[in-house]
Amino acid sequence: MRKIVNNFVIIGGGLAAGQAAEALRTHGHNGPLTIIGDEPERPYVRPPLSKGYLLGKDTRDSLFVHPERWYQEHNVELLLGKRARSVDWRARRVELDDGIQVPYAKLLLATGSSPRLLTVPGADLANVLYLRRIGDSKRLRSAFKAGAKVVVIGAGWIGLETAAAARMAGAEVTVLEHSGLPLLKALGREAAEVFAALHTDHGVDLLPNVEVASLTGAQGRVVGVQLVDGRHISADCVVVGIGITPNDQIARNAGLDVRNGIVTDEHLQTSIPHVYAAGDVANAYHPRYGRHLRVEHWANALHQPEIAALSMLGRDAAYLRLPYFYTDQYDLGMEYTGYTEPGAYDRVVFRGERSTREFIAFWMAGKRVVAGMSVNVWDVIDPIRSIIETGSEMDDTRLADLKIPLDQLIS
């Protein structure tokens, strides 16, 4: 075992890991700093894998959080292609699959998440594809060709973004969704209808309220999807986007509090001393909502590491940012901030026309805005965030009035 005094260790290879390393150096950690990642690449950003990189607009080099030289210049040790097998929090060390033990003074778990696997018969056939890593995106791009029959199982954000990419490449695309509308749980009926219309207008065949019975194959490759209702959908490839699960097994095995991810307080401290968590895997307490939230989006991986780094350095810092996410599909760009759930809001107020796909939507609980979304309306997410954070009472008519600037709505 290597004996390294005051070594700060980060487990993970995504944006959260790269951001945490930068924040630790920025805020004064001058001691040893190690990143352990199970991929061969240095930390990189994942949203382009279903957006610009998948579409061929972004280069591979643009994915990385830092240039390779940054880690050398800032004396950050990269242990890449190494899987952390276990954490011994009493001895304060991480054991890798190859038996190497890495001691730590403070440990950050930024292990992210993994795609939920399809479990029906035939799910192991070739050309059944998932999206999480760079190689996954490259395989999807190769499969998305003019005339190819692409079936997407799941109409969440990943499912719809990959469907858009496949359609823009000229593929014939079918999206299978178990509910009545794509994104119904995330956005509610009024906003979900916008995304359903977007895809049907671009030639996607949306099949709602369906259940997959099996995948059919020939010579080891998928050739179709068999539905419970008897229909069979031909496919040259099947993309599975049915959600993700937090990579929390190492934390669970170490005895940390794990419930829908690694449970932390608002400082991103876990239930075990000297161990912190950030990004997709963190189920962090949010003081504004008085509950724990695990947000599976880029913004948490971007901003939480700053708080985690400060906490690891003994500073008083709390993660208070509103949840945020965005998507790009065809000619539609969307930003969303705030938090609500089905049944937790009364109505949705629209500023602009849904039919033109250029509007702002406000989710209302009583007279207060709890979440807001802009669709093809730019530079408004900051005032939307301010409206939510101030908790000002709002009148529906004024919210919907395009003549009233958003920053004038706050009392």
Side-chain angles (χ1 to χ4, degrees), residues 196-215:
L198 171 70
H199 282 267
T200 55
D201 287 352
H202 281 85
V204 173
D205 189 9
L206 282 177
L207 298 185
N209 301 310
V210 297
E211 184 178 348
V212 175
S214 65
L215 304 186

Side-chain angles (χ1 to χ4, degrees), residues 351-353 358 360 397-405:
R351 168 182 285 233
E353 292 296 327
E358 188 173 327
I360 300 171
T397 302
R398 285 173 58 81
L399 274 176
D401 191 343
L402 290 167
K403 298 176 183 177
I404 304 176

Side-chain angles (χ1 to χ4, degrees), residues 63-195:
L63 301 177
F64 296 103
V65 182
H66 300 109
E68 191 168 3
R69 66 179 182 277
W70 184 90
Y71 297 94
Q72 299 165 354
E73 292 170 352
H74 292 82
N75 196 25
V76 178
E77 182 182 17
L78 294 176
L79 298 181
L80 302 180
K82 305 281 189 180
R83 194 178 78 87
R85 178 165 60 192
S86 63
V87 172
D88 183 340
W89 61 268
R90 294 178 180 85
R92 284 207 241 177
R93 62 176 177 241
V94 177
E95 183 173 340
L96 309 185
D97 257 356
D98 57 9
I100 292 176
Q101 295 184 347
V102 182
Y104 68 83
K106 299 290 177 68
L107 173 66
L108 175 65
L109 298 173
T111 47
S113 55
S114 296
R116 187 172 293 123
L117 300 180
L118 192 66
T119 57
V120 301
D124 57 347
L125 289 165
N127 246 25
V128 177
L129 306 175
Y130 295 82
L131 178 59
R132 187 60 182 170
R133 302 188 173 196
I134 291 177
D136 299 333
S137 188
K138 290 177 66 177
R139 282 185 285 273
L140 287 172
R141 197 194 312 179
S142 297
F144 293 171
K145 297 189 180 301
K149 295 179 180 179
V150 177
V151 176
V152 179
I153 300 176
W157 298 113
I158 293 296
L160 293 187
E161 288 177 358
T162 54
R167 193 72 192 96
M168 292 171 72
E172 300 175 18
V173 181
T174 302
V175 175
L176 308 179
E177 170 57 24
H178 64 82
S179 69
L181 284 168
L183 303 172
L184 184 60
K185 183 177 179 181
L187 299 179
R189 178 164 298 277
E190 299 96 328
E193 287 172 345
V194 173
F195 285 88

